[in-house]
Amino acid sequence: MAQGNRNVIRAGRRLGLVLLPLGWAAMPLVAQSVSVAASDPVGIARSGVEVAYGYSLEAASLNPALLVAVPGHKSAYLAAGMEFQSAQVSLESNQQTWFTSDRNRTIGGFGAAWHLSPKTTLGLKLDTPFERHGAFAADAPNRFLGDQLDLVGRRLELQSAWALTPGLSFGIGVGAAHFSFQSGTVLRMGIPLDPTQPASSANAVDGVAETAVVQSGSKTVPSYSLGFRWALDPRWTLGLVHQSGYRADLPLSAGDRGGLLGLYANDGLSPALLGTVNRADILIGATRATAGQGRLELPSQTTFGIRQRLNPMITWEGDVRWTSAGLRVPSLPGLETPSGQVVSPAGFAPGKAHLGFGLSAEISLGKRWTVRGGTFLDRESRDAANVEPLMGGAAQATFSIGAGYLVWGGELSFGYQFRQAQDQDVTDLTGVWSSVGFNPAGTRARVEGMGHLFAIGYRRSF
């Protein structure tokens, strides 16, 4: 027993030596992205670093080529959990801070495998690869550039894998991904003396009204994944997977939310004159919310991984992931007024291609327990000048832990991941919107954020 305890202690120290350097490196670089590491507890505990884990059904949901190595004639897992995000904006000028609400979402995952023959295996997976959400209060300084966002993507794929040799296999997944999208912003419009007619020299603007609009839409698009596995020997395995990007022309519908939010004089700062409120109500009644333009685009990902079984107790994997530049959302909604179109002065900037690096490890503790850990470092997915709280985009890192316990003929697992956004100073989130339009103020603001992801799940072979 003493010898067994010493082995466990040594294994724990080795795992710490593997994970802690990346964990320390992650601390100044952490942020959030639209991608979710995984929807199951095993993948979450590994920070999504698992494209070469040959004996894991959860890893096979990411890389279909791994299906041929999943033990048992049939196997399946079911997982459920929660995802939390929070962002904040702080003004340097007055030290005030605004936080997002609408922070939590449920996530779920399912996977299955059927061995038709020693060389052919079928699989099925359901997961949530994309999540991004948050909403600011109506007085947030960045409200004119977008004050709410809700993006959710759920994916279902039928998979198949073929073994050319016992150590070499290919896999493919084909299915569909369903995306729901919502965004909103706060807008201002000049109030003419006759609000039912266009503003002109004879119908001068005398006041500014503030209101808010929102748009939403959803669509289902094709999805695919391609995988490769090469087991060099019982200890070393190489894995490669490409997951498709997505493009969806969303049928967006727009509407107002909240009616009249504020009234100001022509300078956009002073209180409005008496009697302006009646004209503002008439003007809002004569306006119509309009949807933004452009596609919803989400990036493809290509990941290469190396896995080694260091000894009978410890297995580790290192991944390199390339994420394409395909990150874009439709422009913000606007207003059609008697004086013309009113739109947000800016929107969510597109993303850029970047690399990421990850490391994960597992330790088998006796016959029943397995502990897991992982971390992943991502380069920035948007230029520093375009980082803002709702879409993020700064350099990203995650740190995850988890455990599995063999019970009821299968494995019950738990996984947890922590995220905290990199502090980013920007100067283009604030401005004054007067009767002549939006004028950037150049005030320095700090964008921050954090997040959590956890799930529990159960896997069993039949």
Side-chain angles (χ1 to χ4, degrees), residues 215-259:
Q215 64 183 2
S216 61
S218 62
K219 193 169 186 179
T220 301
V221 297
S223 174
Y224 73 88
S225 57
L226 303 172
F228 167 79
R229 164 187 168 267
W230 185 15
L232 304 176
D233 56 42
R235 289 182 177 271
W236 290 91
T237 304
L238 305 181
L240 178 68
V241 65
H242 174 78
Q243 296 176 297
S244 65
Y246 303 95
R247 293 184 177 183
D249 293 311
L250 299 177
L252 294 172
S253 60
D256 67 274
R257 62 182 215 272

Side-chain angles (χ1 to χ4, degrees), residues 334-369:
L335 283 172
E336 186 65 43
T337 76
S339 298
Q341 186 78 14
V342 177
V343 296
S344 173
F348 302 122
K352 67 177 185 178
H354 59 280
L355 273 174
F357 308 89
L359 184 66
S360 68
E362 289 191 354
I363 297 179
S364 298
L365 304 178
K367 295 182 178 180
R368 289 187 175 271
W369 283 98

Side-chain angles (χ1 to χ4, degrees), residues 96-433:
Q96 283 189 276
T97 300
W98 288 261
F99 297 88
T100 55
S101 57
D102 190 28
R103 299 178 177 180
N104 58 290
R105 294 289 186 275
T106 59
I107 60 170
F110 171 78
W114 301 270
H115 289 285
L116 302 182
S117 71
K119 292 189 175 183
T120 305
T121 305
L122 292 181
L124 182 68
K125 75 166 182 182
L126 173 67
D127 63 356
T128 306
F130 299 102
E131 287 268 10
R132 190 70 187 176
H133 48 86
F136 279 97
D139 64 341
N142 58 302
R143 63 191 184 277
F144 301 131
L145 310 181
D147 69 336
Q148 66 172 238
L149 179 74
D150 186 0
L151 170 63
V152 180
R154 307 191 189 280
R155 177 174 57 192
L156 177 66
E157 286 187 359
L158 179 64
Q159 301 172 306
S160 183
W162 301 271
L164 303 183
T165 68
L168 186 64
S169 61
F170 295 88
I172 185 172
V174 178
H178 179 78
F179 294 98
S180 60
F181 174 78
Q182 179 176 301
S183 65
T185 189
V186 174
L187 299 171
R188 285 185 176 182
M189 49 188 170
I191 309 171
L193 296 176
D194 182 355
T196 63
Q197 300 299 317
S200 64
S201 58
N203 189 29
V205 171
D206 188 18
V208 179
E210 184 171 299
T211 188
V213 289
V214 65
Q215 64 183 2
S216 61
S218 62
K219 193 169 186 179
T220 301
V221 297
S223 174
Y224 73 88
S225 57
L226 303 172
F228 167 79
R229 164 187 168 267
W230 185 15
L232 304 176
D233 56 42
R235 289 182 177 271
W236 290 91
T237 304
L238 305 181
L240 178 68
V241 65
H242 174 78
Q243 296 176 297
S244 65
Y246 303 95
R247 293 184 177 183
D249 293 311
L250 299 177
L252 294 172
S253 60
D256 67 274
R257 62 182 215 272
L260 181 64
L261 298 181
L263 280 176
Y264 304 89
N266 282 349
D267 62 5
L269 297 172
S270 307
L273 299 176
L274 293 177
T276 307
V277 64
N278 294 329
R279 290 186 288 114
D281 288 336
I282 296 174
L283 177 62
I284 288 180
T287 62
R288 179 179 62 89
T290 59
Q293 304 294 322
R295 286 181 171 182
L296 172 65
E297 298 183 18
L298 294 166
S300 64
Q301 293 183 332
T302 303
T303 308
F304 172 74
I306 301 176
R307 170 245 186 200
Q308 183 199 17
R309 189 182 183 192
L310 192 62
N311 57 47
M313 295 180 63
I314 302 177
T315 300
W316 68 270
E317 178 174 335
D319 282 2
V320 178
R321 180 181 301 156
W322 172 259
T323 301
S324 73
L327 174 59
R328 189 184 300 270
V329 297
S331 61
L332 292 166
L335 283 172
E336 186 65 43
T337 76
S339 298
Q341 186 78 14
V342 177
V343 296
S344 173
F348 302 122
K352 67 177 185 178
H354 59 280
L355 273 174
F357 308 89
L359 184 66
S360 68
E362 289 191 354
I363 297 179
S364 298
L365 304 178
K367 295 182 178 180
R368 289 187 175 271
W369 283 98
T370 300
V371 295
R372 305 179 175 98
T375 187
F376 200 93
L377 305 177
D378 241 338
R379 300 292 296 173
E380 59 274 6
S381 60
R382 299 166 78 192
D383 292 329
N386 295 328
V387 171
E388 43 74 39
L390 289 180
M391 283 290 288
Q396 171 181 280
T398 63
F399 186 72
S400 306
I401 58 173
Y405 181 71
L406 297 179
V407 64
W408 306 319
E411 184 182 55
L412 181 67
S413 298
F414 168 81
Y416 168 78
Q417 180 188 85
F418 173 71
R419 312 187 306 273
Q420 183 175 347
Q422 177 188 17
D423 295 352
Q424 183 69 51
D425 290 337
V426 296
T427 59
D428 58 356
L429 289 184
T430 62
V432 177
W433 197 329

